């Protein structure tokens, strides 16, 4: 899987002059470069550990899209998709390339999309070796033969050491991540957080695939069973996408970004995984723990003098991470493509602690909850967030979706009906009370519920088997193998009906208020998929 330096290249066409170009270094070489430059240290597990600096998570307020002929009438302009002037982009781009000129820089040719029909060639230019190693881990790796004729369609330029001048450059502050669909460039500066690299390309594909390829892009993980049944897990950071899709009994397709084609196949965009490691435990998550070895990159963790990682230490951030190539996981699907989707799970970390740990959704409820995308912002995944905040993120990925959410919802709804999939809402958040009072749902119970669905133990709706939640209208199972019945009823875990219903109504009202922005675009069927009762 390791690549050699196969050819010399020039970056003059990008405006980067007289640079010392380190092209297509292997993972081992980038590991060594990082140590030599004292930009990282080696952990006792063999993985390199780096500190990403000021930013330990994405900065959504500093994400921009160039507004031009390609994007002006297609992008849903909002506080998520912030327009950027094309002329200002050109001037800022020239500043960044001037900054990188005459420096030692690292260049990697790679691609996104495991399905050959949707392949996107990418050239990644980075200031730091570990940022390039991240690109090696997270994007798909061309063969030597493919590199001989490689031609990049998109370019990522990553310069953490470059600081913008907001007053002159048109940014909000010194850091920025800007997509230019006309020039096919993702320009990143002022931040060392590597997640901006992968999310830049993910955001680009979330425009390219539906607009030009009739393919639904999804912020989800996916795996496939022994009967070739594919399961899809939607969810934002911290909801369990990586953990729950990494299952020893099923082959992993990917942990974060996928496409659903017109041919009814599911393909991974990426070549690796980017997992949260807060409170990581070998006993509970052996596959992820085992993937942390040489070739992996730990971010913002605390280690002792012997390089032993304290995964419970969040003194830098709660958003501690590891990236690793997907082949660090033993049980993977090769190539990263699945067919025959049978079950979709919407994962939410409910900070209110009132949603059932698992519930079955009707088609109208599935569309409603997909458009709503309820979860909690988990501490540390975004700059400025230090505690979980209940929030709604359309399509379980609004920060990365350039089009209007209803476009993705319509595509998903059509595909769900065509494939006849079952849809489940899974609360991996709090039980027995809201955040600060209750406890996080035990992983072993969530795994047991997912397994019960995948093995067919939770059947179609029947009154004897399901209870309809009196506020949210979803069908919660009365029993599930491996899970105490008391856990399946969120109300029962509270031991205080008044407090439970008061909080449940608070959340149902939040759903209603949030959905007002979509009502004019939503059908009556979708609107009926929302909570059944509200407090006035």
């Amino acid at each position: 899987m390791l690549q050699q330096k196969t050819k010399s290249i020039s970056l003059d066409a990008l405006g980067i002059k007289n640079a010392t170009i380190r092209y297509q270094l292997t993972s081992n070489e980038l590991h060594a470069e990082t140590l030599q430059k004292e930009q990282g240290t080696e952990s006792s597990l063999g993985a390199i550990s780096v500190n990403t600096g000021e930013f330990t998570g994405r900065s959504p307020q500093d994400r921009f899209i160039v507004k031009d002929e390609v994007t002006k009438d297609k992008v849903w302009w909002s506080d998520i998709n912030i327009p950027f002037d094309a002329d200002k982009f050109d001037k800022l781009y020239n500043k960044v390339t001037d900054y990188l000129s005459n420096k030692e820089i690292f260049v990697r040719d790679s691609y996104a999309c495991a399905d050959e029909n949707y392949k996107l060639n990418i050239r990644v230019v980075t200031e730091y070796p570990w940022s390039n190693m991240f690109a090696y881990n997270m994007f798909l790796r061309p063969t030597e033969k493919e590199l001989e004729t490689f031609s990049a369609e998109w370019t990522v330029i990553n310069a953490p050491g470059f600081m913008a001048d907001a007053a002159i450059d048109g940014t909000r502050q010194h850091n920025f991540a800007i997509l230019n669909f006309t020039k096919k460039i993702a320009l990143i500066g002022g931040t060392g957080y590597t997640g901006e690299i992968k999310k830049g390309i993910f955001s680009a594909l979330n425009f390219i695939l539906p607009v030009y390829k009739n393919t639904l892009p999804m912020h989800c993980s996916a795996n496939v069973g022994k009967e070739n049944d594919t399961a899809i897990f939607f969810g934002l950071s911290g909801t369990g996408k990586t953990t729950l899709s990494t299952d020893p009994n099923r082959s992993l397709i990917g942990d974060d970004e996928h496409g659903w084609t017109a041919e009814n196949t599911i393909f991974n965009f990426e070549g690796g995984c980017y997992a949260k490691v807060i409170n990581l435990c070998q006993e509970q998550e052996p596959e992820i723990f085992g993937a942390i070895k040489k070739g992996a990159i730990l971010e913002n963790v605390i280690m002792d003098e012997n390089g032993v990682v304290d995964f419970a230490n969040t003194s830098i951030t709660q958003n501690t991470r590891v990236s690793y190539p997907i082949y660090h996981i033993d049980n993977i699907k090769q190539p990263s493509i699945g067919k025959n989707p049978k079950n979709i799970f919407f994962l939410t970390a409910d900070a209110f602690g009132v949603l059932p740990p698992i519930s079955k959704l009707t088609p109208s409820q599935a569309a409603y909850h997909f458009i709503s995308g309820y979860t909690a912002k988990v501490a540390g995944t975004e700059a400025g967030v230090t505690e979980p905040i209940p929030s709604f993120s359309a399509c379980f990925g609004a920060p990365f979706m350039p089009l209007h959410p209803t476009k993705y919802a319509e595509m998903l709804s059509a595909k769900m009906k065509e494939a006849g999939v079952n849809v489940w809402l899974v609360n991996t958040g709090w039980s027995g009370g809201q955040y600060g009072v209750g406890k996080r749902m035990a992983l072993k119970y969530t795994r047991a519920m997912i397994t019960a669905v995948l093995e067919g133990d939770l059947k179609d709706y029947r009154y004897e088997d399901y209870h309809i939640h009196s506020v949210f209208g979803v069908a919660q199972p009365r029993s599930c193998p491996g899970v105490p019945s008391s856990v399946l009823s969120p109300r029962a875990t509270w031991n205080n009906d008044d407090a439970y219903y008061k909080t449940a109504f608070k959340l149902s009202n939040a759903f209603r208020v949030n959905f007002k922005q979509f009502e004019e675009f939503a059908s009556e069927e979708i609107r009926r998929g929302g909570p059944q009762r509200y407090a006035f």
Side-chain angles (χ1 to χ4, degrees):
M1 301 293 289
L2 297 179
Q3 303 158 350
Q4 303 301 316
K5 301 174 285 296
T6 56
K7 60 182 178 182
S8 60
I9 61 167
S10 169
L11 297 181
D12 286 1
L14 296 178
I16 300 174
K17 309 290 187 181
N18 302 316
T20 301
I21 299 170
R22 309 297 303 280
Y23 176 68
Q24 216 71 7
L25 298 191
T26 66
S27 175
N28 285 345
E29 288 170 328
L30 291 165
H31 180 111
E33 287 282 340
T34 302
L35 293 177
Q36 182 182 342
K37 295 180 188 301
E38 297 183 344
Q39 294 178 4
T41 52
E42 191 168 279
S43 74
S44 63
L45 297 171
I48 204 160
S49 174
V50 301
N51 187 307
T52 62
E54 177 185 1
F55 294 96
T56 58
R58 291 180 300 102
S59 187
Q61 292 178 292
D62 301 296
R63 173 188 175 275
F64 306 93
I65 297 175
V66 173
K67 190 172 187 178
D68 56 21
E69 289 302 313
V70 172
T71 59
K72 66 178 184 180
D73 296 325
K74 292 185 175 72
V75 169
W76 183 40
W77 302 108
S78 61
D79 57 356
I80 290 170
N81 297 309
I82 306 168
F84 201 83
D85 181 78
D87 289 337
K88 284 193 176 295
F89 175 87
D90 291 342
K91 291 173 182 175
L92 180 57
Y93 176 87
N94 289 337
K95 282 187 175 183
V96 174
T97 55
D98 284 347
Y99 168 81
L100 292 174
S101 294
N102 302 301
K103 281 185 168 61
E104 179 186 39
I105 57 176
F106 300 83
V107 180
R108 161 146 264 101
D109 286 339
S110 55
Y111 67 96
C113 302
D115 190 321
E116 191 71 27
N117 297 319
Y118 302 89
K119 189 174 181 179
L120 183 75
N121 284 353
I122 307 161
R123 172 161 285 177
V124 184
V125 180
T126 67
E127 182 179 4
Y128 300 150
W130 49 271
S131 304
N132 205 263
M133 187 175 169
F134 177 84
Y136 172 87
N137 286 350
M138 296 310 302
F139 296 129
L140 290 152
R141 295 159 284 277
T143 63
E144 285 292 317
K145 187 171 182 57
E146 288 172 325
L147 285 171
E148 291 173 6
T149 56
F150 187 92
S151 177
E153 184 174 351
W154 269 74
T155 302
V156 177
I157 297 180
N158 177 257
F162 176 88
M163 303 296 162
D165 184 333
I168 296 173
D169 298 324
T171 57
R172 186 181 71 96
Q173 54 182 21
H174 58 278
N175 64 301
F176 53 88
I178 310 172
L179 290 179
N180 188 321
F181 283 95
T182 297
K183 298 192 172 181
K184 299 183 178 180
I185 294 170
L187 185 65
I188 302 164
T191 172
Y193 181 63
T194 56
E196 297 284 15
I197 296 172
K198 78 183 224 92
K199 290 305 184 188
I201 291 298
F202 181 42
S203 297
L205 286 165
N206 286 341
F207 182 89
I208 294 165
L209 291 177
V211 171
Y212 301 116
K213 303 281 190 179
N214 190 30
T215 291
L216 173 66
M218 304 179 291
H219 188 214
C220 69
S221 58
N223 62 26
V224 61
K226 293 179 175 61
E227 303 299 320
N228 291 319
D229 59 302
T230 298
I232 299 170
F233 302 79
F234 283 94
L236 286 173
S237 175
T239 57
K241 287 195 314 301
T242 300
T243 298
L244 294 171
S245 59
T246 307
D247 184 331
N249 298 312
R250 297 174 66 85
S251 298
L252 179 68
I253 298 173
D255 84 323
D256 195 45
E257 303 167 2
H258 293 80
W260 190 343
T261 72
E263 298 79 36
N264 208 30
T265 61
I266 310 297
F267 66 86
N268 191 0
F269 290 177
E270 300 182 303
C273 301
Y274 193 40
K276 289 174 71 72
V277 295
I278 182 174
N279 296 321
L280 182 68
C281 169
Q282 184 174 12
E283 183 180 331
Q284 289 195 334
E285 301 181 72
E287 293 83 13
I288 295 174
F289 193 93
I292 304 176
K293 55 189 177 184
K294 191 168 186 180
I297 308 170
L298 287 160
E299 293 181 6
N300 303 312
V301 299
I302 298 296
M303 303 188 301
D304 67 16
E305 63 276 9
N306 298 314
V308 176
V309 180
D310 180 358
F311 290 109
N313 191 318
T314 58
S315 58
I316 296 176
T317 178
Q318 294 202 29
N319 191 35
T320 50
R321 292 269 181 174
V322 64
S323 70
Y324 49 85
I326 197 167
Y327 58 78
H328 277 203
I329 298 290
D330 291 331
N331 193 14
I332 59 174
K333 182 78 165 59
Q334 293 181 301
S336 300
I337 301 172
K339 297 182 179 181
N340 197 29
K342 288 296 184 186
N343 288 284
I344 294 176
F345 300 94
F346 293 162
L347 307 177
T348 177
D350 174 25
F352 287 112
V354 295
L355 289 177
I358 190 166
S359 51
K360 197 174 195 312
L361 304 183
T362 65
S364 62
Q365 289 172 335
Y368 182 94
H369 280 276
F370 183 69
I371 292 174
S372 298
Y374 168 68
T375 188
K377 287 183 181 177
V378 180
T381 58
E382 292 183 9
V385 177
T386 56
E387 294 183 356
I389 300 171
S391 67
F392 295 88
S393 183
C395 310
F396 294 96
F400 324 116
M401 303 294 178
L403 307 181
H404 194 282
T406 54
K407 171 66 176 174
Y408 305 106
E410 288 165 5
M411 293 183 76
L412 179 68
S413 183
K415 288 182 177 298
M416 287 191 304
K417 290 176 182 176
E418 179 186 344
V421 298
N422 293 307
V423 185
W424 308 82
L425 182 66
V426 177
N427 176 19
T428 63
W430 281 258
S431 176
Q434 63 184 0
Y435 173 78
V437 178
K439 294 182 179 179
R440 194 79 190 252
M441 180 63 61
L443 178 59
K444 65 179 180 180
Y445 293 150
T446 302
R447 283 197 185 280
M449 289 180 269
I450 297 290
T451 299
V453 168
L454 296 175
E455 294 184 353
D457 292 324
L458 296 185
K459 311 273 186 196
D460 291 338
Y461 172 76
R462 293 191 313 165
Y463 177 76
E464 307 93 89
D465 300 323
Y466 288 87
H467 167 75
I468 300 301
H469 194 281
S470 57
V471 177
F472 296 98
V474 296
Q476 62 187 54
R478 298 180 187 274
S479 63
C480 176
V483 183
S485 296
S486 58
V487 172
L488 297 171
S489 169
R491 179 184 61 81
T493 66
W494 279 55
N495 296 317
N496 185 328
D497 283 5
D498 288 344
Y500 174 78
Y501 281 113
K502 182 178 179 180
T503 307
F505 283 131
K506 181 180 179 182
L507 180 57
S508 71
N509 280 353
F511 268 96
R512 181 183 61 169
V513 170
N514 172 72
F515 202 78
K516 284 181 179 179
Q517 63 185 308
F518 306 120
E519 279 184 343
E520 64 178 292
F521 305 100
S523 66
E524 176 63 23
E525 180 186 10
I526 293 175
R527 291 197 295 271
R528 287 178 178 173
Q532 303 301 294
R533 295 170 63 189
Y534 304 98
F536 296 97

